[in-house]
Amino acid sequence: MGSPENIKPYNDTEAKGKQVGEMFDAIAPAYDFMNTMMTGGLHVHWRNKALKMAAARLPEAEPESALDVACGTGDVSFRLHELFPETYVTGLDLSAGMLKIANEKLSRMDQEAREHVSFIEGDSLNMPFADDTFDLLTVAYGVRNFERLEDGYREMRRVMKPGGVICVIELSEPANAPIKSMYRLYSRNVIPMVGRMVSHDTRAYSYLPESIAACPQRGEMTAMMKRAGFRETSYKSLTLGVITIYMGIK
């Protein structure tokens, strides 16, 4: 397995973070549709399963604050609000285009949501938050886009309270060889073709399977989380291994 840091959306010369931001700005209008299309709607089940697992690990039934890193168009942030209505949820993303859609969704929600959910543009490797701030931290389909993944885990740990829970949802390749072959056929041919048609970005949905293949998976990922200082790390794969949920404690 390679390194996700070496897989970039557009070219080998510019920094990965800059390219990722530009890519998500470009595909933001198509992002929610493509998520549903690619996963057959299973992304909702995966999200709910992951957040249920995270809730079971929290020391308190209702966390005071939660941070959704790489929040995109806000689906996980809004689900956190549904689960924990009194929790202050902050969504962070480097793409202004994605945050524009998240804020449009928020503007159509009730006052309770608008008082408890907010979005901010920022870099996951240098977040504008004090140490020991959040009880719960989530990242859905974002860590493989980090410019420096292990540094990203250290930065996320920094802003979490001691005893806080991290929950990472990430795409992965199946471990079973025949299923992996079928998965690669789909992810490297069908998804890029549809992605080009819908998003009009020629590289974004080719970058997707490349970055999945290069990203640490399962035991390799939990080992990296441990190196970054997390304890009680674990993973659970779903849907034949195409998705993996990672958990840890600060």
Side-chain angles (χ1 to χ4, degrees), residues 70-219:
C71 65
T73 60
D75 279 1
V76 171
S77 301
F78 296 131
R79 181 58 179 161
L80 284 168
H81 173 64
E82 291 174 359
L83 291 172
F84 309 116
E86 298 304 314
T87 298
Y88 289 94
V89 179
T90 303
L92 176 88
D93 203 282
L94 52 70
S95 167
M98 299 287 270
L99 292 175
K100 180 176 182 290
I101 293 174
N103 277 307
E104 288 172 353
K105 293 179 182 178
L106 181 60
S107 71
R108 296 191 293 269
M109 300 177 74
D110 61 26
Q111 183 176 348
E112 188 76 9
R114 295 195 301 273
E115 289 178 351
H116 285 85
V117 181
S118 60
F119 296 102
I120 183 171
E121 186 175 344
D123 184 354
S124 57
L125 297 181
N126 185 25
M127 293 190 281
F129 308 116
D131 296 358
D132 306 332
T133 298
F134 298 98
D135 302 284
L136 172 63
L137 188 148
T138 60
V139 196
Y141 317 113
V143 295
R144 62 190 160 75
N145 297 317
F146 286 8
E147 191 159 329
R148 299 183 306 280
L149 180 49
E150 194 163 330
D151 286 348
Y153 274 119
R154 291 193 179 95
E155 176 68 352
M156 290 189 288
R157 184 181 180 278
R158 178 187 70 79
V159 303
M160 293 170 59
K161 293 179 184 177
V165 175
I166 184 172
C167 174
V168 177
I169 311 169
E170 191 52 87
L171 297 163
S172 51
E173 292 196 317
N176 178 277
I179 296 173
K180 184 176 183 177
S181 296
M182 290 187 289
Y183 168 83
R184 284 192 167 183
L185 182 67
Y186 172 70
S187 66
R188 298 186 180 193
N189 293 278
V190 177
I191 288 176
M193 179 183 68
V194 176
R196 284 192 295 271
M197 292 170 57
V198 174
S199 72
H200 307 296
D201 187 299
T202 58
R203 269 290 298 161
Y205 288 95
S206 296
Y207 162 79
L208 174 66
E210 293 169 7
S211 63
I212 295 168
C215 191
Q217 296 175 19
R218 293 175 273 273

Side-chain angles (χ1 to χ4, degrees), residues 57-79:
R57 286 210 180 186
L58 288 167
E60 302 290 338
E62 185 98 3
E64 181 181 348
S65 59
L67 175 63
D68 183 22
V69 174
C71 65
T73 60
D75 279 1
V76 171
S77 301
F78 296 131
R79 181 58 179 161

